[in-house]
Amino acid sequence: MQDEERYMTLNVQSKKRSSAQTSQLTFKDYSVMLHWYKILLGISGSVNGILTLTLISLILLDSS
């Protein structure tokens, strides 16, 4: 029973700590994160486009 109480106490304390850290993020931090997400989305889209074109060209070469 003591172990359960200790776990609950530690669990609640860690949740409070993580929510405090999250609330410390400012609007500038979010805009920087959004900027990097947009860059990563563009890169992954480009890679997907290249892979799609490669697959189509391999299918066309194989059929001829």
Side-chain angles (χ1 to χ4, degrees), residues 7-62:
Y7 171 75
M8 291 301 291
T9 304
L10 290 173
N11 196 15
V12 169
Q13 287 176 353
S14 67
K15 284 183 180 178
K16 286 180 183 177
R17 192 177 312 126
S18 65
S19 65
Q21 289 172 349
T22 304
S23 64
Q24 289 176 356
L25 290 175
T26 62
F27 181 74
K28 183 179 180 182
D29 294 332
Y30 284 120
S31 65
V32 169
M33 286 173 41
L34 182 64
H35 177 72
W36 283 108
Y37 284 135
K38 286 181 180 178
I39 290 174
L40 288 175
L41 186 63
I43 291 172
S44 64
S46 301
V47 169
N48 283 335
I50 291 169
L51 289 174
T52 303
L53 291 174
T54 304
L55 180 67
I56 291 171
S57 63
L58 286 173
I59 289 171
L60 291 176
L61 285 174
D62 188 42

